[in-house]
Each structure stands twice: as C-alpha cells, then as structure tokens.
C-alpha cells in the first residue's frame, strides 16, 4: 500500500484537458505505466475529498460540451473510490491497483 498526498496530484492536473484525458492524466500522475490495467477499487481517498473532486469535475463539464452527469459517472465508474477510513488529503494506492 502506498500513500500519496492528494494535493500534489490535483495541483499537477491540467484543467484544460477534457474529462476523459484528465482522468488518464490523474492515473499517470499516480504512477500508472499505461501497460497495465487499473483497478479503481484499489485507489481510495476520503469520501469528503472524493465529493469535492467530483463536484469540481462536474462543474467543468459544460466547457467541454458534456453534461454534469456524464462527467460525474465517468469519475464514479473509472475514478477512485471514497473511504471514510482514509485520512483527508491522502490518496491510498492499495496493492494491485495496477494489474
């Protein structure tokens, strides 16, 4: 298991990327080597942090011609999961997050 400061990842994300590209960049910043598949159930952050992340991503949907729901479901289906046991501001990469 590896801990990553969420702020360090979010600060580096390019907000000009469309939501699909941004999600890919999110995982690249976490160390995804693009040769393996990602198991998003093994990438966890605090539920409050996740809610904030989703809200921010959904608010950017319109500038890319997408609906809030499209972007929200993208992140809910392919993005990290929320976990109350994870410390705020921390992202947990569980063993096997890349398979």
């Amino acid at each position: 298991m590896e801990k990553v400061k969420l702020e360090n990842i979010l600060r580096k994300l390019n907000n000009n990327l469309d939501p699909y590209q941004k999600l890919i960049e999110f995982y690249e910043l976490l160390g995804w080597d693009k040769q393996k598949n990602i198991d998003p159930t093994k990438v966890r952050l605090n539920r409050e942090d996740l809610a904030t992340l989703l809200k921010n991503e959904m608010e950017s949907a319109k500038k890319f011609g997408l609906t809030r729901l499209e972007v929200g479901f993208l992140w809910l289906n392919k993005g990290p999961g929320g976990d109350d046991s994870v410390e705020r501001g921390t992202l947990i990469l569980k063993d096997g997050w890349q398979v």
Side-chain angles (χ1 to χ4, degrees):
M1 179 174 70
E2 180 182 349
K3 289 184 178 182
V4 177
K5 285 193 143 290
L6 181 59
E7 175 185 333
N8 292 345
I9 301 302
L10 297 180
R11 187 177 51 229
K12 294 176 185 174
L13 278 176
N14 181 348
N15 290 318
N16 294 316
L17 294 175
D18 73 49
Y20 303 98
Q21 294 170 318
K22 194 171 182 182
L23 184 60
I24 290 169
E25 184 182 55
F26 176 83
Y27 285 120
E28 288 174 341
L29 290 169
L30 290 174
W32 179 41
D33 68 10
K34 294 171 115 178
Q35 300 300 312
K36 298 178 183 174
N37 291 317
I38 296 168
D39 181 350
T41 65
K42 295 187 177 183
V43 180
R44 312 299 285 175
L45 63 153
N46 182 277
R47 285 188 196 275
E48 290 180 42
D49 289 336
L50 178 59
T52 300
L53 174 66
L54 287 172
K55 180 181 174 219
N56 291 339
E57 292 307 312
M58 290 169 68
E59 286 176 358
S60 71
K62 190 174 181 179
K63 91 177 182 182
F64 296 102
L66 300 167
T67 67
R68 292 175 55 86
L69 283 176
E70 288 173 305
V71 174
F73 279 124
L74 168 68
W75 279 84
L76 283 174
N77 288 328
K78 301 296 184 184
D83 187 332
D84 287 331
S85 70
V86 176
E87 177 184 350
R88 291 224 43 204
T90 302
L91 209 147
I92 300 291
L93 302 171
K94 293 183 177 183
D95 294 339
W97 77 277
Q98 293 187 69
V99 289

